[in-house]
Amino acid sequence: MLEGDRSDDLILHADRICKSFGTIPVLFSVSMGVRVGEIHALIGENGAGKSTLMKILSGYHAPTTGTIHLDGKPIELPTDGQAEKLGIVLIHQELSLAEQLTVEENIFLGREESRYGFLNRTHMRAQVRALLSELGLDVAPDSRISDLSIAQKQMVEIAKAISRNARILIMDEPTAVLTPAETAIFFRQIRSLKAQGVSIIFVSHKLDEVKEISDRVTILRDGQWISTKDTADMQPDSMAQLMVGRELSDLYPPKTEPDVDVPKVLRVRNLTAQGGVADVSFDLGKGEILGFAGLVGSGRTALFEAICGLSDVHSGTIEVNGRAGQFASVAQARDAGLTYLTKDRKEKGLLLNMGMRPNLTLLALPKFIRRHMINQRAEDEALVTAKRRFDIRARDHRVNMRDLSGGNQQKLLLAKIMESQPNIVVVDEPTRGIDVGTKQQIYHFIAALAQDGMSIILISSEMPEVIGMCHRVAVMREGRLMTVLSGDEINENEIVRYAAGLKEARADERLSA
Amino acid sequence: EDKIKIGVSYPTPTHAWAAGMNWHAENAAKRLEALYPDIDIILVNSPDPSAQASALEDLVSVNQIDALVVLPFESEPLTDPVLNVKKSGAFITVVDRGLSQPGIEDLYVAGNNPELGRVSAAYMKTRLKDGDNIVVLRGIPTVIDTERFDAFMAELEGSGINVLDHKHANWNRDDGFEVMQDFLSRFPDIDAVWAQDDDIAIGVVAALKQAGRDGDGMFVIGGAGMKETIKSIMDGDTLIPIDVLYPPAMLATAMDLTVANFKSNGPVAGRYILGATVITPENAEQFYFPDSPF
Amino acid sequence: MSDSAHDRGVQMKLPRFDIKTMGPAIALILLCIIGYALNPAFASEGNITNLLTRSAFIGIIAVGATFVITSGGIDLSVGSMAAVIAGVMIIIMNNVVDTFGAGVTTVLIGCGCSVILGLGAGWANGFLTTKGKIEAFIVTLGTMGIYRSLVTYFADGGTLSLDFSIRGTYRPVYYDSFFGLPIPVWVFIVVAIVGWILLNRTAFGRYCMAIGSNEAVARYSAINVDRIKTWTYVIQGLCVSLATIIYVPRLGSASSSTGVLWELEAIAAVIIGGTVLKGGYGRIGGTILGALILTTIGNILNFTDLISNYLNGTMQGLIIIVAVWLQRGDWGRARRAKT
Amino acid sequence: MSDSAHDRGVQMKLPRFDIKTMGPAIALILLCIIGYALNPAFASEGNITNLLTRSAFIGIIAVGATFVITSGGIDLSVGSMAAVIAGVMIIIMNNVVDTFGAGVTTVLIGCGCSVILGLGAGWANGFLTTKGKIEAFIVTLGTMGIYRSLVTYFADGGTLSLDFSIRGTYRPVYYDSFFGLPIPVWVFIVVAIVGWILLNRTAFGRYCMAIGSNEAVARYSAINVDRIKTWTYVIQGLCVSLATIIYVPRLGSASSSTGVLWELEAIAAVIIGGTVLKGGYGRIGGTILGALILTTIGNILNFTDLISNYLNGTMQGLIIIVAVWLQRGDWGRARRAKT
Ligand SMILES: Nc1ncnc2c1ncn2[C@@H]1O[C@H](COP(=O)(O)OP(=O)(O)OP(=O)(O)O)[C@@H](O)[C@H]1O
Ligand SMILES: Nc1ncnc2c1ncn2[C@@H]1O[C@H](COP(=O)(O)OP(=O)(O)OP(=O)(O)O)[C@@H](O)[C@H]1O
Ligand SMILES: [Mg+2]
Ligand SMILES: [Mg+2]
C-alpha cells in the first residue's frame, strides 16, 4: 500500500501491477491510485512504462500480474475501450482519430445519439459546436480530421474525451503538441472537470505544467515505482531529479554570441506559399539557431514545408548556400543539405509497422548503398550510434516502431533526420514527448551542432525552449512574419504579444542577424 | 429507310470455333448486303447470357429489327428474351442451341452435338479393342459438353474400352496441355485420347510429344473442324487421323436462309440439322478454308 | 470562435464537396449525350427503361459492395453467389411446385430461400474474414470458386430451369411495371435509399467508415469491429439475394455462366462512384451512378457498329478510365492527404 | 540497457519470425503429402518437373505482383497483358521470318519486342495510376479490358499461331532442360532471386515497402513516390513479358483465352505467400511458395477421380482458404496491430 493513501478514498487503484510484452518486462510491481476529484500526474523518463500503465488502467492492456480496484473493489477491466462504460476514458499518447471521418463523427464515435435508429445529427452537431467553441477551437464540426493540423487534432481528441462524461479521465501527454495558449484553455477545462468531481490522471514531460495543475505526482523510473508525493511538496527540479535518478545541471547549454559576419546559408525573400504563408522574408546565418514561435496554425509548418520542397511555393525566392533553392522534391532539398523534421511523427515521420533500422536510414538511404545494395552492416552500425547519441531505449532492438514508447519514437525520428548530415536542419517540435533528462542531452547536442557550423531552425511551441536555445526568434501570425527578436527582446512577454497580434509587425531590421 | 433490318446475335467469340463462326457470319453479312441493297444486317455479340438478353432488347427497341438470327448462349435463359422479340413481330431464326419452348422460332438451323460424341466413339470402336484405355478431355461444363460426353459414353458402352478418367479442359489449349500432362504422369498405358475439340487436341498433342508417348499407334480425336487439323489430316498425320465436323459456317447458313425468307418467293421455315460429318483424308479438302481464323 | 467563421468553414467545404459528388454524374451525362448523338433511339422510353432495369442487378449488388469496401473489405464472391442462389432457388421452387402449386406461395418460398441463402453466404464470408482472420481477398476468392463449382454441380454441368408453370406467376417481377417504372427499378430505388440511409444516417454506417479508416481507432472506440464487418458481408449477401430474386424471372434459369464477372463490375461501380478502395469513405449515390455508367457503356456499344465487336472491351476500358479521370479533380489531393 | 538484453531480444524474436515464414511452406508440404497419398505417381520426376514448369508462368508474374502489392497498388491487367504480348510477339515473328529466316535472330527479335511491350504496358499502368491519379484498381481493370480485346482483335477472335518454321528454333526454350531442370524453371529461379534481392537488399525494395506502409512518410523521407510506384508496374510488365517469352514456345499460339484469370492467380499467390494486400510488407519467398501451392492444387485434382469434376472449384477454394488459415498463426495478431 502506498504511503499516505487510504485505499477507501481511491476511486481507481492499480495494485502491484507487473507487465511484460512477450518475455520483456516493462512494469515491475507498480502501484498507483487516484482519488475522487484529484488531478494526479504521472511522470518518468521515456520508456519508463507510463503509457503502458495508463493502458492497463483503462483496460487496453491486461496486467501480467496484479489487480485493478475500481471503487475499492477488484475488477477485471473490459478490453478495447469498453471500460468507457465504467466511466474510464483514455486519451492515447498516439492520436487515435479516424483520419477520414469528420470532427463530429470522431467525437461521437462509438456512442452516437440515435432516434428511432437514425442518427440525431443536428443535436450531435450542436453539442460538438458548443464543445469546440468552449475549447476555443476554430474548426467546423464537419471538417475532416485529415485536413486538420496536429495541434487541432489533439484538441479534437481532448474534446472527444471531455464529451464522454468520464468519472476518470486518463490523458497520456495531452499537452505535448499544444502551445501555451491552448494549454491554458485546456487547463481551464481540466479544472472545471475536477470541480465536478472527475478524477484525472495525466502524463506530461512538461514539469512546470505538472507543478501548476496537479495535486499529486507519481514518479516511475525504468518500470519501477519511485514515489508518490503531493505536488505542493515538490519543485520541477526535484521532480526531474527523482525521474532521472541524478541531479540535472542546467537544462539549456550556455548561449554563444552569434557572429555578425557569418555567411548566410538560407535567404528567403517575399515567400508566399500553400497553406496561407504570405510574404515571408528572413535570413539564417551559418551556425545560428533561429527560433520560430507562433500560435497553432500561424503557418510555421506550412512555411518550412514549402521551403523544403514538400508543398507548393507560389512566389518569392529562396536561396540555400548561395544558390537558388526552389526544391521540387524533398530529395533535392536533402541533397542541398536542407532537411525537415516533421512534428507529425505518426502520419508523416515514421513507418510504424517497420523496425527501427529501416526507419532510421530511410531519409539518408543513398548513403548506405554499396554496389547497388543496402549495406546492412553500416545500417546496424548507424543504429547503434544513433541509439547511443540520442539515448534511444528499446528493450528489444527488433521492436516495431509502433511498440516503441512515444518519446523514443521521437528520438529515433530526430536521429533519422540527422542521419542525412544536413547543414541546415529545420526541426518542428523536436522535443515533443521527450523527458527532461533526454531533452537536456538534445539541447546540448543541438548547441554543439550549431557550434560546428550547422544552422538550425527551431520551431517550437515550448516558450522556454525557444527562449533558452535560440540566438534569434522569429514570430509568426496568420502566415506572416511579425518580427525577428534578438538579444534581450527574446522574452515570453514580447513573443506572446507579437504572436497574439497585440503588437504590429515590425518592418525594420527584421532580416538582420 | 425502308430497309429490312436483320439482327444477328451470338456469343462473343472466346475460342477459335466461335471466331470461325464470326468470320463466316461477317462474310455472309457483307455478301448479302452487297447483293441486296435493301437488307441491313446488324451483328451483335455478347459475353454472357444476360448481356445477350440485353442485346436482344436493344435490337428491338433501338434498331427495330424485322428478323432475328440468334445463336443463344444457353437455351433456358434466352427463351423468354427471344419470345419477347417474337412478340414484336420479327421473323425468328434460332441457330445451334434450341430454345427450351418449342414453336417460338420460324426457322431452326443447328449442328448436332450428341452426334459429334457418338461419331467419335464409333470411330474409337473401330480402332480399339476390348481392354484398351482411353482418357477424355471435356469442354467447359455446359449443356453442349454434357450432350457430347453422354452420347460418347453411351456409344462406347459394352465395347470393353476403358475410360480411365475425364477432366474438363475447357476447350482451351493450355488446359488441354496441362490436363494431358497429368494424365500421362498418372496412367502409364493410354491408347487413345478423345479431346472433343481441336483446340484441346493441340494441347494434348504437345503434351504427348513432350512425354515422347506419341508413337505406338496412339491417336487423338478432336472435333469441330479447325483448319490446321484439317490440313494435317490432308497431309496424312496419324496422330490425329480424323476430325468430326461441327460446322462453324452454320450461322452464315442461317443468315442466308433468313434473307431467303424475305427475298425468295416461298416462305422459309422448318428445321435444318447439319450433320456431324467425319473428316477423313479423302474428303478433307472440301472443309478447308485457309482464310478463316478457324 | 465566432459563428461567422463557422459559416465560412461550411461554405468553403461545400463547393469542393460538390465537384467530388458531381464527377460521376458528369461522366454519366456525357455518356448519355454520346449515346444520343450516335443514335437518337438511345433516348427512347423503351431504351431508358431497359437501361435502368439492367442497372438494377449490378446496382443492387454494388450497394452491398459499398458497405464491404467502405469498411475496408472486399467481396469477390458475389457473382458466383448470385449464380448458386439462383440455382438453389430454382431447384427449390421446382420441388415445391407439386405441393404448393404454381402460385404465389411457391414464388415466395423461393424468394425466402434466396434471402436465407444470401444472408448465410454473406455470413460465411464475414465469419471467415473476422473470426478466421483470413484476408478478405482470399476468403472470397475461395468462396467464389466454391459457389461457382456448386452451381455447376447442381446443374450437372448444364442449366437449371425454372418450371414453366411457375414462370407465369414469377415473370411479372421482372417484366411488369408499376407507375411507369419496371419493378426491378423500384427494388433498386428502395435498396439505394435504404442503403444511403444506413450508410449516412445510422451509427452502423459511421462504424463502417471508422473501421475502414482505422480499425484500431474503431476498436478503441468500443466498436465491435468483427461484428460490424460481418454485418457488411451479410448485407452484401442480402443485396445479392435481392438481385437474384429479380434476375431469375428474367431468364428463368441458372447455370455455371450466370453472374460471371459481376464481382468486378460491382466493385468497379463502387470505385467509379468515388468510394475509396482501401476503405474509410463510401458513397452510395456514387455507386448508383457507377452502376448506371457501366450499363450505359454496354448499351451504347450495342448501339453502334462503328467499331469492330472485338474492340468493345477496348472502348469499355477507355471509357471507365476516362470516367474516373474526369471525376478525379479534387480527389487526388484528398487521397494524398489520407496516406 | 545491457547488451545481454539485446541478445535475448534477438533470440526471442527469431522463432516468431520463423512460424510466419514457414506457414506457406508447411501448407505446400501438406499438399505434397496428400498428393503422394492419393497417387504415388505424384512424386514421379516427370510430374515434379511438370509442376515446376507450370508454376513458372504464374510464379514469374507473381514476383512482379509482389512489388506492385507491396507498394500499395494492384494490377488486374497481367493476364490480358500476357495474352496481347504473346499475340503481338507471334505476329511480329511471323512477319520478320521472311527477312531474317527461321533462326535465332527472329526469336530474339520476338523476345525483344515482348520485353519492350511489357515495359511499355507496365509503364502505361504506372503512369495512369500516379500522374493520372486514378485508383490502380480502375486503371488496371480498364487496361485489362483493353488488352484482352486487342488480342481478340489481332487474332480476329481466333488463334494466332506461330509460323511452323520458327517453332523448331523456339521450342527448346520451353521444352529443353539444363542441368536436369527445364529452362522455364531456370528463368523462374533467376527471376525469383533477382526479385528477392531487389525487394530485400536494395533501396528500391525498401522504398516499395515504405510507400505501401505510409505514402506520406515516404514522401517526407525524400522518396519520389510516383517514380517508385511507376517502376513497380514496369517491373510487373517486365515479369509478364518474361513469362510470355517462355509461354509462347509451349504451344506456339495465343488467343483471347490466353492468360484468362492469371491476374487472380498471381494475386492469390502473392497473398497466400504472406504479402499484405494493403501494402507495406512483401515476401518474394512466400510468393514463390504461393505459386507452387496453387499449381499443386490443380495438379492434385487432376490426379484423382474421387470427387466430381464439377466440384474441382470447391476443393480449390477450400484448399486455398485452409492453406492461408494454416499460416495465419501469428499473422492475425500482426495484421491487427498494423491497422
Ligand atoms: N506492445 C508492445 N510490445 C512490446 N513492447 C512494448 C509494447 N508497448 C510498449 N512496449 C515497451 O514498453 C516500454 C515502456 O513503454 P511506454 O510506452 O509505457 O513508455 P512511456 O513511459 O510512456 O514513455 P514515453 O515517455 O516515451 O511515452 C518501452 O520499452 C516500449 O518499447
Ligand atoms: N489551406 C490549407 N490547405 C492545405 N493544408 C494546409 C492549409 N493550411 C495549413 N495546412 C497544413 O496544415 C499544417 C499545419 O499548418 P500551419 O503551418 O498553419 O501550422 P503551424 O504554424 O505549424 O502551427 P503549429 O505548429 O503551432 O500547429 C501544415 O501541414 C500545412 O501544410
Ligand atoms: Mg508514453
Ligand atoms: Mg508548426
Side-chain angles (χ1 to χ4, degrees):
Chain A
M1 194 78 350
L2 305 178
E3 39 183 311
D5 262 351
R6 299 187 323 279
S7 66
D8 49 317
D9 66 350
L10 293 176
I11 176 166
L12 183 65
H13 178 204
D15 189 18
R16 277 165 297 178
I17 298 288
C18 295
K19 175 71 183 173
S20 307
F21 290 105
T23 48
I24 300 161
V26 169
L27 291 177
F28 305 88
S29 190
V30 172
S31 297
M32 171 183 174
V34 62
R35 298 177 183 140
V36 179
E38 176 194 44
I39 300 179
H40 194 130
L42 180 64
I43 60 176
E45 285 178 294
N46 295 131
K50 304 180 294 294
S51 299
T52 308
L53 182 59
M54 297 299 94
K55 285 182 187 161
I56 288 171
L57 280 175
S58 48
Y60 291 94
H61 285 327
T64 309
T65 62
T67 44
I68 308 284
H69 299 264
L70 183 64
D71 297 320
K73 286 183 283 289
I75 185 170
E76 204 159 301
L77 290 173
T79 53
D80 285 348
Q82 312 268 2
E84 219 176 279
K85 299 203 181 88
L86 303 170
I88 305 174
V89 171
L90 171 69
I91 302 184
H92 291 263
Q93 177 172 16
E94 294 311 325
L95 298 171
S96 50
L97 297 169
E99 291 278 320
Q100 281 127 310
L101 267 52
T102 65
V103 171
E104 178 219 322
E105 286 166 346
N106 266 289
I107 287 180
F108 276 93
L109 192 60
R111 40 161 217 134
E112 287 77 4
E113 291 181 2
S114 294
R115 225 173 27 196
Y116 316 116
F118 297 104
L119 293 172
N120 192 344
R121 301 200 317 153
T122 19
H123 192 227
M124 286 193 285
R125 188 160 304 164
Q127 279 176 273
V128 169
R129 199 163 285 165
L131 203 58
L132 293 179
S133 72
E134 221 174 300
L135 284 172
L137 190 56
D138 184 17
V139 296
D142 59 355
S143 324
R144 275 189 203 289
I145 296 298
S146 54
D147 294 339
L148 302 185
S149 80
I150 186 137
Q152 286 171 324
K153 288 181 192 173
Q154 183 68 61
M155 290 302 273
V156 170
E157 184 103 14
I158 288 167
K160 176 176 170 181
I162 288 175
S163 75
R164 305 243 148 175
N165 299 322
R167 283 202 299 153
I168 302 152
L169 188 54
I170 304 176
M171 292 179 287
D172 201 348
E173 300 195 31
T175 58
V177 290
L178 300 186
T179 59
E182 276 125 11
T183 306
I185 299 173
F186 168 60
F187 281 174
R188 208 169 61 218
Q189 297 295 323
I190 293 290
R191 290 203 181 89
S192 93
L193 286 174
K194 173 186 168 164
Q196 293 161 31
V198 177
S199 308
I200 290 153
I201 307 180
F202 100 118
V203 177
S204 178
H205 289 292
K206 301 182 180 174
L207 299 180
D208 44 348
E209 284 178 3
V210 171
K211 173 74 184 159
E212 179 190 339
I213 190 89
S214 69
D215 300 313
R216 286 197 303 162
V217 189
T218 293
I219 295 153
L220 291 187
R221 193 196 307 150
D222 282 339
Q224 320 259 6
W225 176 83
I226 300 298
S227 95
T228 299
K229 290 190 172 166
D230 284 339
T231 310
D233 301 341
M234 299 183 79
Q235 291 308 317
D237 280 347
S238 52
M239 291 182 201
Q241 194 180 332
L242 279 172
M243 269 171 65
V244 187
R246 63 188 155 93
E247 186 122 13
L248 277 182
S249 52
D250 278 342
L251 190 54
Y252 301 103
K255 270 194 206 177
T256 50
E257 269 309 300
D259 192 340
V260 191
D261 301 326
V262 291
K264 298 282 176 267
V265 290
L266 177 67
R267 196 189 292 270
V268 175
R269 288 293 175 277
N270 309 102
L271 187 76
T272 300
Q274 197 181 323
V277 175
D279 195 28
V280 173
S281 305
F282 68 92
D283 283 342
L284 176 68
K286 186 171 160 58
E288 185 184 25
I289 303 177
L290 173 60
F292 266 78
L295 301 178
V296 164
S298 57
R300 297 166 297 172
T301 298
L303 170 63
F304 286 98
E305 286 191 346
I307 291 175
C308 298
L310 281 155
S311 62
D312 296 341
V313 169
H314 298 322
S315 66
T317 57
I318 304 166
E319 234 176 67
V320 177
N321 296 322
R323 263 176 286 163
Q326 289 269 16
F327 302 118
S329 72
V330 185
Q332 284 178 14
R334 176 197 62 198
D335 296 341
L338 172 63
T339 55
Y340 169 74
L341 174 124
T342 177
K343 65 183 166 184
D344 191 352
R345 70 168 173 255
K346 193 178 159 202
E347 294 292 332
K348 295 169 181 165
L350 297 170
L351 301 169
L352 296 179
N353 64 330
M354 293 198 188
M356 294 196 282
R357 196 179 63 185
N359 269 292
L360 176 69
T361 57
L362 195 60
L363 177 63
L365 204 55
K367 209 178 79 180
F368 293 91
I369 302 297
R370 255 207 1 231
R371 283 190 240 106
H372 304 292
M373 304 238 191
I374 297 175
N375 183 349
Q376 294 189 329
R377 176 110 53 81
E379 275 190 297
D380 283 331
E381 281 163 11
L383 182 58
V384 170
T385 314
K387 283 174 82 168
R388 200 180 51 234
R389 223 167 156 197
F390 293 92
D391 192 24
I392 300 169
R393 299 185 193 184
R395 286 182 169 80
D396 170 357
H397 84 196
R398 289 174 68 169
V399 67
N400 265 356
M401 280 325 286
R402 179 188 317 281
D403 293 336
L404 216 55
S405 86
N408 284 306
Q409 289 179 11
Q410 183 68 27
K411 292 184 225 165
L412 192 109
L413 182 58
L414 204 54
K416 167 184 167 179
I417 297 303
M418 292 307 172
E419 204 57 56
S420 72
Q421 293 168 325
N423 57 44
I424 308 170
V425 65
V426 181
V427 288
D428 202 348
E429 311 287 0
T431 59
R432 176 185 164 199
I434 288 181
D435 68 56
V436 271
T438 317
K439 242 183 206 171
Q440 184 199 31
Q441 277 169 265
I442 287 174
Y443 291 146
H444 283 81
F445 178 73
I446 288 178
L449 288 176
Q451 286 266 290
D452 290 349
M454 187 193 281
S455 311
I456 290 146
I457 303 263
L458 175 63
I459 307 175
S460 176
S461 299
E462 276 190 62
M463 206 67 84
E465 186 169 287
V466 176
I467 296 168
M469 289 292 297
C470 300
H471 298 127
R472 290 185 302 146
V473 175
V475 186
M476 286 188 72
R477 175 178 165 72
E478 290 178 351
R480 296 178 179 278
L481 189 66
M482 302 296 287
T483 183
V484 178
L485 307 171
S486 56
D488 292 343
E489 294 172 322
I490 304 180
N491 61 61
E492 190 156 346
N493 199 8
E494 199 70 355
I495 294 174
V496 166
R497 288 173 64 178
Y498 278 109
L502 301 176
K503 262 179 111 164
E504 284 301 306
R506 286 198 308 193
D508 62 319
E509 270 192 288
R510 67 180 182 197
L511 304 176
S512 64
Chain B
E1 276 296 326
D2 266 1
K3 283 192 167 185
I4 300 167
K5 290 186 175 166
I6 301 176
V8 183
S9 164
Y10 53 100
T12 306
T14 52
H15 57 286
W17 181 85
M21 178 191 71
N22 181 64
W23 181 81
H24 285 288
E26 280 176 354
N27 280 355
K30 272 190 220 119
R31 179 169 45 79
L32 290 166
E33 281 181 344
L35 197 57
Y36 306 107
D38 61 337
I39 294 268
D40 185 9
I41 295 177
I42 303 137
L43 299 175
V44 187
N45 59 44
S46 316
D48 58 70
S50 74
Q52 192 174 21
S54 305
L56 294 186
E57 287 169 1
D58 291 344
L59 283 174
V60 174
S61 67
V62 180
N63 297 307
Q64 284 144 5
I65 50 169
D66 304 295
L68 172 71
V69 179
V70 57
L71 195 164
F73 231 102
E74 288 170 17
S75 310
E76 294 298 337
L78 287 148
T79 300
D80 269 349
V82 174
L83 190 60
N84 283 338
V85 180
K86 173 85 176 168
K87 284 182 186 153
S88 76
F91 180 88
I92 306 286
T93 304
V94 173
V95 185
D96 199 23
R97 307 232 43 75
L99 298 176
S100 46
Q101 223 177 328
I104 299 175
E105 72 273 8
D106 300 286
L107 177 65
Y108 180 58
V109 180
N112 197 333
N113 281 310
E115 185 65 7
L116 184 143
R118 199 194 61 71
V119 168
S120 307
Y123 182 80
M124 291 277 176
K125 288 202 291 191
T126 66
R127 294 274 311 260
L128 301 173
K129 54 181 188 305
D130 194 352
D132 279 348
N133 298 318
I134 64 169
V135 289
V136 177
L137 288 89
R138 304 176 56 173
I140 295 170
T142 51
V143 180
I144 301 173
D145 171 70
T146 313
E147 282 180 1
R148 291 179 180 180
F149 179 72
D150 289 348
F152 179 88
M153 297 301 278
E155 177 68 23
L156 220 52
E157 194 148 317
S159 67
I161 298 171
N162 302 319
V163 175
L164 294 171
D165 198 3
H166 54 95
K167 294 279 178 208
H168 291 278
N170 307 318
W171 294 318
N172 177 305
R173 296 177 180 197
D174 290 313
D175 292 354
F177 181 77
E178 293 185 359
V179 172
M180 195 61 212
Q181 274 190 330
D182 290 347
F183 279 160
L184 289 170
S185 309
R186 197 174 145 196
F187 305 115
D189 178 23
I190 300 173
D191 299 298
V193 182
W194 185 45
Q196 203 201 75
D197 172 89
D198 290 338
D199 267 317
I200 300 179
I202 284 181
V204 168
V205 168
L208 287 174
K209 289 193 167 147
Q210 182 196 26
R213 283 169 67 175
D214 51 341
D216 304 337
M218 149 82 84
F219 65 94
V220 181
I221 300 179
M226 178 189 290
K227 62 179 180 187
E228 286 89 352
T229 313
I230 295 177
K231 183 80 173 45
S232 78
I233 291 171
M234 284 160 68
D235 297 346
D237 186 356
T238 52
L239 198 53
I240 303 183
I242 60 147
D243 200 11
V244 184
L245 185 67
Y246 196 74
M250 64 173 73
L251 191 59
T253 312
M255 287 161 65
D256 279 326
L257 290 167
T258 307
V259 170
N261 178 62
F262 292 93
K263 290 299 173 184
S264 70
N265 295 330
V268 177
R271 296 168 64 79
Y272 293 74
I273 307 301
L274 312 167
T277 319
V278 177
I279 303 174
T280 60
E282 288 74 41
N283 65 359
E285 197 110 27
Q286 72 189 89
F287 300 101
Y288 185 54
F289 299 96
D291 291 337
S292 161
F294 185 63
Chain C
M1 179 175 172
S2 74
D3 267 338
S4 75
H6 262 304
D7 293 341
R8 204 160 15 105
V10 174
Q11 274 169 11
M12 235 99 73
K13 275 282 150 80
L14 272 179
R16 197 193 80 165
F17 205 77
D18 268 358
I19 292 173
K20 212 161 68 183
T21 320
M22 295 317 291
I26 292 169
L28 182 59
I29 290 167
L30 274 180
L31 277 176
C32 290
I33 292 172
I34 293 171
Y36 186 76
L38 285 172
N39 193 333
F42 175 84
S44 68
E45 198 199 314
N47 189 54
I48 299 291
T49 314
N50 285 344
L51 223 160
L52 289 174
T53 318
R54 266 176 233 167
S55 309
F57 302 126
I58 288 302
I60 291 171
I61 294 176
V63 167
T66 309
F67 286 93
V68 172
I69 293 174
T70 299
S71 62
I74 194 153
D75 192 343
L76 298 174
S77 71
V78 292
S80 311
M81 199 193 287
V84 79
I85 292 178
V88 175
M89 225 179 132
I90 289 172
I91 294 174
I92 289 175
M93 287 194 283
N94 287 351
N95 276 317
V96 301
V97 70
D98 294 335
T99 325
F100 295 99
V104 178
T105 323
T106 301
V107 172
L108 284 181
I109 290 175
C111 295
C113 290
S114 165
V115 169
I116 291 169
L117 286 171
L119 295 175
W123 179 85
N125 280 338
F127 178 82
L128 287 170
T129 312
T130 55
K131 299 297 173 198
K133 295 196 183 59
I134 310 171
E135 292 249 17
F137 187 92
I138 293 291
V139 168
T140 59
L141 185 71
T143 53
M144 163 177 157
I146 294 174
Y147 298 150
R148 175 73 55 209
S149 90
L150 281 179
V151 68
T152 318
Y153 181 72
F154 292 147
D156 218 357
T159 307
L160 288 159
S161 335
L162 190 58
D163 198 291
F164 270 89
S165 59
I166 311 171
R167 290 203 190 183
T169 322
Y170 200 175
R171 241 183 92 85
V173 172
Y174 181 82
Y175 288 98
D176 273 16
S177 287
F178 184 68
F179 285 112
L181 282 180
I183 292 181
V185 179
W186 283 111
V187 177
F188 186 22
I189 291 173
V190 170
V191 169
I193 291 175
V194 171
W196 189 88
I197 291 174
L198 202 55
L199 188 64
N200 296 295
R201 290 288 178 270
T202 69
F204 174 77
R206 282 199 180 174
Y207 294 165
C208 290
M209 299 203 202
I211 291 171
S213 175
N214 190 328
E215 215 175 299
V217 169
R219 185 169 290 119
Y220 286 176
S221 301
I223 294 171
N224 189 330
V225 173
D226 282 356
R227 180 163 352 127
I228 300 289
K229 277 170 114 178
T230 307
W231 268 111
T232 63
Y233 290 95
V234 171
I235 290 174
Q236 172 73 84
L238 181 65
C239 288
V240 171
S241 80
L242 290 177
T244 311
I245 288 174
I246 54 171
Y247 171 82
V248 168
R250 177 174 180 197
L251 303 179
S253 67
S255 74
S256 59
S257 64
T258 302
V260 167
L261 291 188
W262 281 9
E263 54 280 348
L264 282 187
E265 278 192 56
I267 298 171
V270 173
I271 309 297
I272 290 174
T275 297
V276 176
L277 185 60
K278 293 188 193 245
Y281 182 81
R283 291 187 53 231
I284 296 284
T287 298
I288 311 293
L289 291 171
L292 288 171
I293 288 174
L294 285 178
T295 323
T296 309
I297 295 175
N299 185 248
I300 289 179
L301 291 173
N302 279 348
F303 261 54
T304 166
D305 44 10
L306 283 184
I307 43 165
S308 157
N309 271 326
Y310 292 137
L311 291 178
N312 270 6
T314 302
M315 293 312 295
Q316 218 150 352
L318 285 176
I319 295 173
I320 290 177
I321 292 177
V322 171
V324 174
W325 180 78
L326 272 181
Q327 58 154 306
R328 150 196 83 119
D330 179 58
W331 259 118
R333 236 190 303 150
R335 213 167 338 123
R336 190 147 31 135
K338 186 210 149 192
T339 47
Chain D
M1 181 174 174
S2 71
D3 268 337
S4 74
H6 262 306
D7 294 341
R8 206 162 10 107
V10 174
Q11 274 169 11
M12 233 89 77
K13 271 284 148 87
L14 273 178
R16 193 190 85 167
F17 204 77
D18 269 359
I19 292 173
K20 208 161 72 182
T21 320
M22 294 319 290
I26 292 169
L28 182 58
I29 291 167
L30 275 180
L31 277 175
C32 290
I33 292 172
I34 293 172
Y36 186 76
L38 283 172
N39 194 333
F42 174 86
S44 67
E45 196 200 315
N47 190 53
I48 299 291
T49 312
N50 286 344
L51 223 160
L52 290 174
T53 317
R54 263 179 236 170
S55 309
F57 302 128
I58 288 303
I60 291 171
I61 294 177
V63 167
T66 309
F67 286 93
V68 172
I69 293 175
T70 299
S71 63
I74 194 154
D75 192 342
L76 299 174
S77 71
V78 292
S80 311
M81 198 193 286
V84 79
I85 292 177
V88 174
M89 228 178 128
I90 289 172
I91 294 175
I92 289 175
M93 287 192 283
N94 287 351
N95 276 315
V96 300
V97 70
D98 294 335
T99 325
F100 296 98
V104 178
T105 321
T106 301
V107 172
L108 284 181
I109 289 174
C111 295
C113 290
S114 165
V115 170
I116 291 169
L117 285 170
L119 296 175
W123 179 83
N125 282 337
F127 178 82
L128 286 169
T129 312
T130 54
K131 298 299 174 198
K133 294 197 181 60
I134 311 172
E135 292 250 16
F137 187 91
I138 293 292
V139 168
T140 57
L141 185 71
T143 51
M144 163 176 156
I146 294 174
Y147 299 149
R148 176 70 58 207
S149 89
L150 282 179
V151 67
T152 318
Y153 180 72
F154 293 146
D156 215 357
T159 306
L160 288 160
S161 306
L162 189 58
D163 198 292
F164 271 89
S165 59
I166 312 171
R167 291 202 192 184
T169 322
Y170 200 174
R171 235 184 97 85
V173 172
Y174 182 83
Y175 289 99
D176 272 15
S177 287
F178 184 68
F179 284 113
L181 280 180
I183 292 179
V185 178
W186 282 111
V187 177
F188 186 22
I189 291 173
V190 170
V191 168
I193 291 174
V194 172
W196 189 88
I197 291 174
L198 202 56
L199 188 64
N200 296 296
R201 289 284 179 272
T202 69
F204 175 77
R206 190 65 69 74
Y207 291 160
C208 288
M209 298 205 197
I211 290 171
S213 170
N214 188 330
E215 228 174 272
V217 171
R219 210 163 64 86
Y220 273 73
S221 303
I223 297 171
N224 190 332
V225 174
D226 283 356
R227 178 161 356 127
I228 300 289
K229 278 169 113 178
T230 307
W231 268 110
T232 62
Y233 289 96
V234 171
I235 289 174
Q236 172 75 85
L238 180 65
C239 288
V240 171
S241 80
L242 291 177
T244 311
I245 288 173
I246 54 171
Y247 168 83
V248 168
R250 178 160 111 177
L251 297 174
S253 62
S255 73
S256 59
S257 61
T258 300
V260 167
L261 291 187
W262 281 9
E263 53 280 348
L264 282 187
E265 279 191 57
I267 298 171
V270 173
I271 309 296
I272 290 174
T275 297
V276 177
L277 186 60
K278 292 187 194 252
Y281 181 79
R283 291 187 52 231
I284 296 283
T287 298
I288 310 293
L289 291 171
L292 288 171
I293 288 175
L294 286 177
T295 323
T296 310
I297 295 175
N299 184 248
I300 289 179
L301 290 172
N302 278 344
F303 262 75
T304 168
D305 46 9
L306 282 182
I307 43 165
S308 157
N309 273 328
Y310 298 139
L311 290 178
N312 269 5
T314 303
M315 291 313 295
Q316 219 150 354
L318 285 177
I319 296 174
I320 290 175
I321 292 178
V322 171
V324 175
W325 179 78
L326 272 182
Q327 59 153 303
R328 153 194 80 122
D330 178 59
W331 257 119
R333 237 190 301 149
R335 212 168 338 126
R336 189 147 31 134
K338 192 209 150 189
T339 47

